[in-house]
Amino acid sequence: MNLHLAVIGKDVSQSLSPSMHAFILRRLGAECKYEAISIPPEQFAERAEELFERYDAFNVTIPFKGDIIAYLSELRDDAPVFGAVNTVLCRERAGYNTDGFGFLLMLKNAGVQVKGRSVLVLGAGGAGRSCIKKLTEEGAEVYAYERNEDRLQEVYNEFGGFTPLSRVPLRKFDILLNCTGIGMHKTVGQTPSCRREDGSESPVDKKLLGLCETAVDLIYVPAQSEFLRIAQALGKKTVNGDSMLFYQAYMADCIYLRRTPCEREAKNLWESYREERI
Ligand code: NAP
């Protein structure tokens, strides 16, 4: 099979997707031509249609995961619940979201059990709401902090199943999960903020990280965010988002190839991808 694929986003010039998907697809027995297409947001409406003619399928990243939905006939699997699409099959105009698969497999393969554990999710944007949903489905005791309280309330109205941090005292959580994006790009060296006991908001520090067992950050560039650096210095287990990125790509490639995903295969591929990169 020879697929013509792309990733679209505002700026995908540095995206890892072309090489990552080419690696996975080759190992799964398919060839692909995979392009990175940066689209200025103001041009998205005029350029969206041509994507469906040009490619067999494409991946979608920031800020178009919601915008692409208007061009699709069907949302499948997690996509309708997440309200965001990262994988599109062009002929069927079908949209999927593979981030949840990637998130859960990242935790599982890192040995992070979530069932019955308390998890504080920081940030309820696109990725945060998907993680909240998946964690509640997996039986975690989920708490969430989002500095935009209206946004968190919207997620609560939609899913429920978690406790907004504003309703409980700040305490020990087994797992802290950074879904804010604070710690990458212009915020390298910073940690996300969180509500304090007195109701004020301040950056997550040694005190809160000192109480947890595991710190997980969806950020993968840099490989160690400040959030994870502090946690590691305190002797905590830390997990970054690089395997999530790989696993969500693997799942997308399984969709492209109409192949049933296999967790063991995904893990083996991730390990050989990492070895090749070192
Ligand atoms: P997003 O939709 O912009 O959501 C980020 C959320 O965090 C927003 O609600 C934002 O609020 C909030 N926030 C911003 N600054 C904050 C701070 N200082 N303290 C607390 N909350 C703050 O972004 P996203 O798409 O969810 O992505 C979030 C992160 O996940 C990014 O780093 C992205 O790269 C990563 N991600 C990784 C993977 C992977 O495969 N590893 C997959 C998906 C996403 P405001 O709107 O008020 O700024």
Side-chain angles (χ1 to χ4, degrees), residues 128-147:
R129 41 176 280 143
S130 314
C131 292
I132 290 172
K133 178 73 179 149
K134 283 289 166 193
L135 288 166
T136 57
E137 283 173 7
E138 292 297 303
E141 187 185 313
V142 182
Y143 299 82
Y145 175 74
E146 162 61 59
R147 63 183 179 183

Side-chain angles (χ1 to χ4, degrees), residues 125-127 146-147 151 179-182 184 193 218 220 241 244-245:
E146 162 61 59
R147 63 183 179 183
R151 185 174 302 150
C179 298
T180 66
I182 297 296
M184 64 190 288
S193 50
L218 298 194
Y220 47 89
M244 173 173 168
L245 182 74

Side-chain angles (χ1 to χ4, degrees), residues 32-105:
C32 70
K33 182 177 170 203
Y34 195 109
E35 298 170 14
I37 307 294
S38 297
I39 303 178
E42 62 280 9
Q43 289 180 16
F44 181 75
E46 67 190 77
R47 293 184 56 186
E49 273 305 329
E50 77 184 35
L51 300 169
F52 292 88
E53 285 153 31
R54 194 155 170 200
Y55 300 105
D56 295 309
F58 57 90
N59 294 109
V60 186
T61 188
I62 294 170
F64 304 130
K65 288 182 176 186
D67 298 333
I68 195 67
I69 291 174
Y71 298 84
L72 302 174
S73 316
E74 198 185 340
L75 298 185
R76 295 181 183 161
D77 302 338
D78 282 338
V81 179
F82 289 1
V85 161
N86 71 351
T87 301
V88 172
L89 288 180
C90 293
R91 196 158 39 89
E92 295 162 52
R93 290 205 176 232
Y96 299 77
N97 192 311
T98 64
D99 281 340
F101 174 89
F103 173 64
L104 289 182
L105 199 53

